Amino acid sequence: MFDTLANRLQDALGDLGRRSRLDEETVTRATREIRLALLEADVDFEVVKQFVSSVRERALGQEVLKGLEPGQQVVKIVHEELTELMGSADSRLAFGRPPTVVLLCGLQGAGKTTLAAKLALWLKEQGSSPMLVAADLQRPAAIDQLEQLGRQLQLPVYRTETTDAVVAAREGLERATADGCDVVIVDTAGRLQIDEALMDELAHVRDAVKPLNVLLVLDAMTGQEAVAVARAFQERIAFDGIVLTKLDGDARGGAALSVKAITGKPVKFASVGEKLDQLEVFHPDRMASRILGMGDVLTLIEKAEQAVEQDEQEEMERRLLAGQFTFDDFLASTRMLKKMGPLQGVMKLVPGMGRQLEGMEVDDSQMARIEAIVLSMTPHERRVPHAINGPRRRRIAAGSGTTIEDVNRLLQARKQMEKMMKSMGKGKLPTLPAELTGGGGGARTKRGRR
């Protein structure tokens, strides 16, 4: 979602970052580009105006202009202002005496029901015992959808035959208390637009279950409309935080940058994909780093830790430090990458990798082909890749349903991966192996050119 904005801001700041001296004209030109980039990203005009004013005021300060690296200091200022814009305060969920109630609200189509299941899974992984309560009695099949998601996650879902959302929410809370669940997630009804009936029902449900967390679910694809919705809900429902859905879409991302400044409420979570495990805690500082092309090493580390066991991680680190990278290691690393999510999204977390991926199609289906080729090798061939000669390559290709060229590309990719790991250990910028982008002689662009 932030690709276009990221490119524009990086272009605007690129020249500044290389300058050893700054003047007012240079800063003015850069802030003008920053303003245009934010406006094109559908950020609220007043928010843009305040943001640019703060950056300009700090960038023209004597401490920056007389510093040893003024250009880098301006980049740092933009990073800090972006972080502040999206919310620098602690935005974790509040927990009290069990069961803690989380109330979800928002318009129809924002993704509340799916988000309820994603949040329940996230809480389950944190060690909680959540229950989903179906209080959306307006949308056809909403309760059935929530029950299906609950079965998929092996989590309890409370439903009732009542037509009163307040009764459904209250009974769900009572059942969760009786069953020993420590978190209750209440999925409420939405409307196609804000109306008095929606707000009255939400207010009554809120008063009945007294939630510690009221989360407003906003569709990030709707841009400025999401900000207008947040304003309207803020006037009637005292929500505590915001969850942005569809952040993996191709919209311009203005809602994520505007909504905290407009409402004063932090963005707590971001839904970054359709799968139920694709919900992330929203870290403003990390998002600012991604937008400015600095990557997001902390999130990358967290994803890797979730994808691999501690003993496996230590063993792989030991082998890499020893300069060993066999096809067994290659297979383990590709399987780990699959667990971490879509490959292109993972690679963008690597500092400096965003621009390398520009125009490329990183092909996730290549992973299955890689596994087929590696599993067609003998244990000896996986341990000693240099032993794979011509006849062995023909046998591996036949066994995996691929071509000799595919096998050759994978052998070359292993060498590139080995070099990449060594260069990362030395603090150098890695390059993307062509095999993982689906290309042979080079990565494919979106138009299919090489």
Side-chain angles (χ1 to χ4, degrees):
M1 175 169 283
F2 293 108
D3 288 353
T4 302
L5 173 62
N7 291 339
R8 288 292 304 272
L9 287 180
Q10 290 171 45
D11 289 340
L13 296 172
D15 183 51
L16 284 179
R18 293 186 291 269
R19 286 178 175 265
S20 58
R21 299 184 64 182
L22 293 180
D23 53 38
E24 185 173 352
E25 181 182 354
T26 304
V27 173
T28 299
R29 187 166 55 250
T31 53
R32 185 187 304 116
E33 290 300 317
I34 292 172
R35 182 174 66 251
L36 291 174
L38 292 172
L39 289 173
E40 287 183 5
D42 210 18
V43 180
D44 182 83
F45 175 75
E46 291 299 327
V47 173
V48 173
K49 185 178 178 181
Q50 180 61 42
F51 179 87
V52 173
S53 175
S54 298
V55 170
R56 177 179 169 79
E57 182 179 347
R58 293 182 61 187
L60 291 176
Q62 292 300 310
E63 182 180 348
V64 173
L65 293 179
K66 293 183 178 181
L68 295 177
E69 295 182 338
Q72 289 297 327
Q73 290 188 52
V74 173
V75 175
K76 181 174 180 288
I77 287 171
V78 174
H79 182 274
E80 291 173 351
E81 291 294 330
L82 274 175
T83 301
E84 181 66 26
L85 181 65
M86 291 184 285
S88 56
D90 187 0
S91 61
R92 289 176 293 182
L93 291 177
F95 291 91
R97 181 179 177 181
T100 296
V101 180
V102 180
L103 181 68
L104 302 182
C105 60
L107 293 185
Q108 186 173 321
K112 289 190 303 301
T113 302
T114 304
L115 189 278
K118 289 184 176 184
L119 183 58
L121 175 60
W122 183 85
L123 287 165
K124 181 181 179 181
E125 291 173 346
Q126 305 303 310
S128 296
S129 301
M131 173 180 280
L132 294 162
V133 175
D136 181 356
L137 309 179
Q138 301 294 327
R139 182 170 64 89
I143 298 176
D144 293 337
Q145 180 188 357
L146 195 63
E147 283 193 317
Q148 182 178 359
L149 292 170
R151 284 193 297 270
Q152 186 176 339
L153 298 176
Q154 297 183 334
L155 290 173
V157 177
Y158 179 80
R159 68 175 296 171
T160 180
E161 298 303 321
T162 183
T163 58
D164 188 334
V166 175
V167 173
R170 186 187 296 118
E171 290 180 353
L173 178 57
E174 293 171 355
R175 173 62 65 83
T177 303
D179 291 352
C181 296
D182 56 7
V183 181
V184 177
I185 301 173
V186 183
D187 178 31
T188 63
R191 302 287 194 280
L192 293 178
Q193 59 186 8
I194 295 170
D195 57 24
E196 289 300 317
L198 168 66
M199 292 304 184
D200 289 342
E201 180 179 281
L202 281 173
H204 292 149
V205 171
R206 179 197 61 197
D207 295 341
V209 298
K210 296 179 174 55
L212 272 183
N213 303 274
V214 179
L215 302 182
L216 175 62
V217 182
L218 292 176
D219 181 352
M221 298 279 285
T222 58
Q224 287 297 308
E225 180 61 27
V227 177
V229 170
R231 278 197 182 105
F233 271 87
Q234 187 181 31
E235 293 173 359
R236 294 292 305 274
I237 305 295
F239 62 85
D240 305 295
I242 296 161
V243 181
L244 291 173
T245 62
K246 308 175 188 177
L247 209 62
D248 57 321
D250 57 1
R252 291 173 288 181
L257 296 174
S258 303
V259 71
K260 191 271 176 181
I262 295 297
T263 65
K265 304 297 183 181
V267 178
K268 291 181 179 285
F269 293 94
S271 177
V272 295
E274 295 181 357
K275 295 181 179 179
L276 295 179
D277 60 352
Q278 291 181 313
L279 180 71
E280 296 181 355
V281 175
F282 189 84
H283 297 284
D285 54 339
R286 301 185 192 182
M287 185 59 71
S289 295
R290 293 190 207 182
I291 292 173
L292 295 179
M294 301 175 184
D296 185 353
V297 176
L298 290 177
T299 298
L300 186 62
I301 292 172
E302 288 175 0
K303 285 179 175 287
E305 288 176 344
Q306 293 170 4
V308 65
E309 297 297 332
Q310 182 65 30
D311 55 346
E312 295 176 353
Q313 181 181 343
E314 292 174 354
E315 174 63 16
M316 186 172 287
E317 287 176 357
R318 184 190 66 77
R319 294 178 62 79
L320 290 176
L321 288 174
Q324 301 171 337
F325 193 73
T326 67
F327 271 113
D328 284 324
D329 300 320
F330 195 103
L331 186 62
S333 65
T334 55
R335 286 176 172 173
M336 182 187 72
L337 281 172
K338 285 172 64 177
K339 292 180 182 178
M340 291 170 65
L343 183 57
Q344 186 146 3
V346 173
M347 298 305 292
K348 284 183 179 179
L349 299 178
V350 179
M353 189 64 79
R355 281 299 178 93
Q356 286 194 37
L357 292 172
E358 190 174 341
M360 291 184 182
E361 285 186 3
V362 180
D363 191 357
D364 287 279
S365 66
Q366 284 293 104
M367 294 296 188
R369 183 177 296 180
I370 289 171
E371 285 194 39
I373 294 174
V374 175
L375 292 174
S376 294
M377 299 176 185
T378 65
H380 174 72
E381 290 167 344
R382 290 200 293 268
R383 289 194 304 270
V384 187
H386 305 293
I388 303 177
N389 55 21
R392 291 175 184 263
R393 296 183 191 198
R394 285 193 292 272
R395 192 203 76 245
I396 293 169
S400 60
T402 58
T403 64
I404 295 178
E405 288 75 15
D406 291 329
V407 176
N408 289 337
R409 279 197 292 267
L410 182 58
L411 291 169
Q412 185 62 31
R414 187 203 65 82
K415 293 180 182 179
Q416 290 181 7
M417 186 73 80
E418 189 172 55
K419 291 179 181 178
M420 184 179 77
M421 293 300 181
K422 289 179 180 179
S423 67
M424 288 180 71
K426 296 176 182 178
K428 296 180 181 179
L429 181 66
T431 55
L432 188 66
E435 175 66 20
L436 298 183
T437 65
R444 293 184 307 209
T445 64
K446 291 183 178 179
R447 297 181 181 176
R449 295 195 303 264
R450 289 189 182 273

